[in-house]
Amino acid sequence: MSPVSGSCRGIRGWHRICNNTVLALPAASSSGSITNRKLHSVHTGSRPQPAYPGHIPLSPFENTLLAVGSALMSLIDTRRADMVAACGETTAGSTLIKLRDIMLESPEGRRILKERPRINSQTLDLEKLRSLPENTFGRAYVGWLDTCKVTPDSREPVHYIDDPELAYVMQRYRETHDFYHALFGFKVSALPELALKAFEFSNLGFPMTALSLGASLRLKSPQRARLWTEFVPWAMRCGSHATCLLTVYWEERWEQDLDGIKKELGVWDPPPGITIPRPSHADSP
């Protein structure tokens, strides 16, 4: 994962590119200069004020430019968390509205949208989670953090989604991604990450999660074959069968039995080889 400072520099750099693109257009005549000044006014002079801390409003042209650029950069260097995040935001479109509406239809989802909990080292009591019994969700989550040497503070803030409520939906997805890792016990490496992205596409529908499967070209041939013949079929079936995971108030389920959660949500373990071993596993329906 990219350091936060590097990610911020990358995001600011892309925003400068968006802002300066119109200024780079050549002015062949005085009338052309006038046109360029008008375009500059349209793209920058009338830019709306940020709707929440960290918000960077984009015009449709800027959003498209950032979507294409961040998608390419994400495929070139999958460690660029800032570019993966920007791609997710600029390509989300109506998916966020659909997910928000699904959350509103669920009692847990409605409370999440109302209370807007955040997931980081300040809001989580990791020592308390370490004291929970084996095979509880909280113990599995903190065990996953410790085994994979991951911190809950590693997720990028949302910048490019205009509506504050939809921006929170994206932030919630981003911050609960590691819960999905813990739920299935996925390792932190390319093959299990792509398998989880396929599951997220089936369950949540974010275009970025489907686009990320293009990174399978970087896998070795045997891994790529397993991804498409074993893990993607599992992900499509399991994700479409499962409850929408954004409606789950995970922070209230720390003490719940892990296998019980899987059964309740309608998920089951993936094919072997990409997970951290556990004492027990949920069976496939």
Side-chain angles (χ1 to χ4, degrees):
M1 296 182 183
S2 302
V4 173
S5 59
S7 299
C8 291
R9 286 195 297 271
I11 289 171
R12 286 196 294 266
W14 273 104
H15 192 228
R16 284 196 297 270
I17 290 172
C18 289
N19 280 340
N20 292 336
T21 300
V22 176
L23 295 177
L25 293 174
S29 64
S30 61
S31 60
S33 298
I34 293 172
T35 301
N36 283 342
R37 284 196 295 272
K38 288 180 180 178
L39 283 171
H40 174 72
S41 175
V42 168
H43 282 276
T44 61
S46 60
R47 184 179 300 280
Q49 292 298 311
Y52 52 87
H55 178 217
I56 302 174
L58 297 178
S59 70
F61 171 75
E62 292 169 340
N63 190 87
T64 301
L65 178 65
L66 183 55
V68 173
S70 60
L72 291 174
M73 286 298 298
S74 299
L75 291 175
I76 293 170
D77 186 354
T78 56
R79 297 169 299 177
R80 288 293 302 271
D82 57 331
M83 292 293 100
V84 174
C87 180
E89 294 176 38
T90 53
T91 60
S94 61
T95 302
L96 286 172
I97 298 174
K98 179 196 74 173
L99 290 171
R100 188 268 315 276
D101 292 345
I102 292 173
M103 293 177 74
L104 288 172
E105 293 172 358
S106 159
E108 280 188 56
R110 285 196 298 273
R111 287 196 296 110
I112 292 168
L113 288 174
K114 180 180 179 180
E115 299 170 11
R116 297 193 180 186
R118 298 296 304 272
I119 300 165
N120 53 58
S121 58
Q122 280 69 52
T123 62
L124 300 181
D125 187 343
L126 298 182
E127 289 306 315
K128 181 179 179 180
L129 298 184
R130 291 188 180 95
S131 70
L132 292 176
E134 290 285 351
N135 212 50
T136 56
F137 174 66
R139 182 68 175 270
Y141 170 63
V142 76
W144 180 85
L145 290 176
D146 293 341
T147 299
C148 299
K149 296 179 170 47
V150 175
T151 168
D153 298 320
S154 59
R155 296 300 165 190
E156 293 283 334
V158 172
H159 291 290
Y160 303 112
I161 296 170
D162 293 334
D163 182 271
E165 185 172 53
L166 298 182
Y168 175 74
V169 173
M170 174 60 78
Q171 191 70 46
R172 180 68 178 176
Y173 156 66
R174 198 168 285 170
E175 293 180 359
T176 56
H177 172 81
D178 287 347
F179 291 162
Y180 311 161
H181 267 280
L183 182 68
F184 295 112
F186 279 128
K187 300 174 183 177
V188 181
S189 57
L191 182 56
E193 189 65 53
L194 291 176
L196 182 53
K197 283 289 187 287
F199 171 87
E200 289 176 336
F201 177 68
S202 179
N203 186 252
L204 304 175
F206 285 113
M208 174 273 295
T209 55
L211 291 171
S212 67
L213 294 176
S216 64
L217 294 173
R218 301 168 63 91
L219 296 175
K220 294 180 179 179
S221 181
Q223 288 184 316
R224 186 165 57 252
R226 287 204 71 195
L227 174 68
W228 290 104
T229 61
E230 297 182 45
F231 299 119
V232 168
W234 163 82
M236 294 296 103
R237 182 173 173 231
C238 187
S240 61
H241 180 270
T243 298
C244 175
L245 296 193
L246 274 180
T247 65
V248 181
Y249 212 137
W250 298 99
E251 300 92 319
E252 297 181 349
R253 295 170 174 263
W254 297 131
E255 298 181 12
Q256 189 170 346
D257 178 76
L258 190 63
D259 294 329
I261 290 182
K262 291 178 180 179
K263 184 176 180 180
E264 177 188 342
L265 299 181
V267 302
W268 57 92
D269 290 336
I274 58 174
T275 59
I276 299 167
R278 283 182 182 153
S280 62
H281 297 277
D283 294 327
S284 173

